[in-house]
Amino acid sequence: MQPFVYDGLPSRVVFGQGTLAQLRQELEHLGCSRALVLATPQQQEQASRVLELLGDKGVGVYADAVMHTPVEVTKRALQVVKELNVDCTVAIGGGSTIGLGKAIALRTGLPQIAIPTTYAGSEMTPILGETSDGIKTTQRTLDVLPETVIYDVDLTLTLPAVMSGTSGINAIAHAVEALYARDCNPVIALMAEEGIAALARSLPVIANNPTNVEARSDALYGAWLCGTCLGSVGMSLHHKLCHTLGGSFNLPHAETHTIVLPYALAYNAPAVTEAMARIGRALGCDDAAAGLYDLGRAVGAPSALSELGFSVDDVERATEIATRNPYWNPRDVEAKGIHRLLSDAQSGKRPQ
Ligand code: NAD
């Protein structure tokens, strides 16, 4: 018997095709009537269409969300929230936009509706990462968990092919680390395996045909499951390494996750035999680390950190930062092994 604690997260999820049409209804369900729509500058047009859909229940669009939730952007958004007497936010976009909604909720208590258009999974987590003066800090509080999440497959059809692949593998990373988390439980393990399988079978199809609705639906379903894993149990080595590479070397989020994941898993493999078997089963292969590497190639993702501008000379400093503060990992985090892991990810050689 393996004892466990299961903590269910209180959020409402609406999943389907064309579900955006239910937005007004969902707003009413929350008892709100003055929604501010959030987006990145790239998704401003989409945000304007959402505002139209809200009719008299929408009060404006704030389309300045950017990666890593800088506090200055949040401060400007809070000004708009006050001026327009907003009583709820509707975030349409990826982790960057949803992060802004969370940052506003943290400071105002306003309810949130999240409408994800990538596979990053932030909508299902009580986690917020923010940057101030170039330093990214992360906190976990139920105050930032969106009350309602609307998954609409139609909104993912425009996500470019390669971005879909890296975003989907970013989601897989949450499930992989959940399977060997210290606080994993049987429900999350089921979700993790199912989430990996759904994404692994759909992402290569999307890479060849980004408007395949069946595959898009499978991928979004997988992203929901993997996001739930991230929100429910603790992450370890892989997420810590990507946090270092994003925060201190400014490497892009989803691509970095995609490249590092096979190497982080190969490092942990000797300590996580059961998780390796479950991941392999979900991927349909014997060697889970190699399977993830091959999935990256199948979706046309970059294979080496060097392609993102991370040089051989950066390996030493990244190792130092990533091993500076101790944290729990199934295998001891020791500098020599991490140096090798990062060197291999830097050059993109097939993991062993
Ligand atoms: P993103 O939100 O930065 O989006 C990347 C780009 O793609 C943006 O320009 C966006 O407007 C565009 N885009 C998004 N969906 C699109 C679509 N369907 N069609 C066309 N363009 C689209 O990327 P992301 O990977 O979703 O999020 C990354 C950020 O989220 C990072 O800051 C990361 O730290 C954070 N994150 C947080 C959590 C959490 O639990 N707190 C979880 C995952 C990611």
Side-chain angles (χ1 to χ4, degrees):
M1 188 202 68
Q2 196 196 344
F4 62 87
V5 173
Y6 173 73
D7 237 338
L9 289 174
S11 75
R12 175 178 164 89
V13 173
V14 177
F15 188 100
Q17 188 175 14
T19 39
L20 182 62
Q22 295 172 38
L23 177 58
R24 259 182 81 99
Q25 210 177 306
E26 289 302 323
L27 204 78
E28 281 161 15
H29 184 81
L30 288 174
C32 299
S33 57
R34 297 188 61 78
L36 177 67
V37 182
L38 307 174
T40 60
Q42 294 79 15
Q43 287 176 284
Q44 169 130 33
E45 249 185 73
Q46 211 171 14
S48 301
R49 286 202 299 280
V50 170
L51 183 67
E52 247 172 66
L53 199 67
L54 284 167
D56 62 357
K57 297 205 183 298
V59 294
V61 169
Y62 183 81
D64 275 343
V66 291
M67 187 92 87
H68 305 312
T69 328
V71 171
E72 313 83 71
V73 174
T74 303
K75 281 188 184 152
R76 289 201 295 274
L78 286 169
Q79 196 60 38
V80 176
V81 164
K82 203 168 153 200
E83 279 162 19
L84 297 178
N85 193 20
V86 166
D87 69 1
C88 154
T89 59
V90 174
I92 178 152
S96 299
T97 305
I98 293 167
L100 175 60
K102 288 175 163 183
I104 294 172
L106 182 72
R107 291 163 177 83
T108 60
L110 287 184
Q112 314 167 60
I113 298 183
I115 310 175
T117 62
T118 71
Y119 305 131
S122 177
E123 67 281 357
M124 292 310 299
T125 80
I127 304 166
L128 170 64
E130 295 185 286
T131 35
S132 182
D133 301 326
I135 294 173
K136 188 167 179 174
T137 49
T138 302
Q139 57 183 305
R140 185 180 266 268
T141 160
L142 277 178
D143 294 345
V144 305
L145 181 74
E147 277 71 8
T148 304
V149 180
I150 300 179
Y151 286 104
D152 185 338
V153 175
D154 284 342
L155 300 175
T156 62
L157 299 179
T158 51
L159 191 63
V162 174
M163 216 192 276
S164 300
T166 54
S167 187
I169 296 176
N170 178 197
I172 289 178
H174 310 328
V176 163
E177 291 229 289
L179 277 167
Y180 53 66
R182 190 168 36 164
D183 53 352
C184 192
N185 61 66
V187 175
I188 290 301
L190 284 173
M191 287 184 153
E193 196 174 328
E194 171 81 351
I196 296 169
L199 283 156
R201 65 178 174 253
S202 56
L203 295 178
V205 179
I206 292 169
N208 290 318
N209 180 6
T211 57
N212 182 315
V213 174
E214 204 56 39
R216 284 290 190 184
S217 167
D218 227 8
L220 196 59
Y221 164 67
W224 165 54
L225 293 169
C226 293
T228 304
C229 293
L230 174 67
S232 304
V233 300
M235 299 288 117
S236 42
L237 178 66
H238 169 75
H239 281 76
K240 301 288 178 199
L241 289 176
C242 292
H243 188 87
T244 298
L245 295 168
S248 304
F249 295 86
N250 209 20
L251 301 193
H253 183 80
E255 290 92 329
T256 304
H257 269 269
T258 301
I259 295 167
V260 172
L261 185 59
Y263 304 101
L265 185 59
Y267 181 89
N268 278 339
V272 297
T273 324
E274 195 191 326
M276 288 298 282
R278 291 188 82 149
I279 299 161
R281 191 160 69 200
L283 293 169
C285 67
D286 293 333
D287 179 344
L292 288 169
Y293 182 86
D294 292 340
L295 183 60
R297 308 294 68 73
V299 302
S303 59
L305 290 177
S306 61
E307 293 174 59
L308 308 182
F310 184 78
S311 71
V312 174
D313 295 340
D314 291 328
V315 172
E316 191 70 40
R317 189 162 74 91
T319 304
E320 198 275 309
I321 299 171
T323 53
R324 199 182 283 162
N325 300 317
Y327 54 86
W328 184 85
N329 187 62
R331 181 181 164 190
D332 279 352
V333 177
E334 34 92 11
K336 199 171 155 213
I338 299 304
H339 191 283
R340 183 170 162 213
L341 184 170
L342 288 170
S343 296
D344 288 351
Q346 196 277 336
S347 67
K349 69 188 270 202
R350 199 178 166 77
Q352 287 152 2

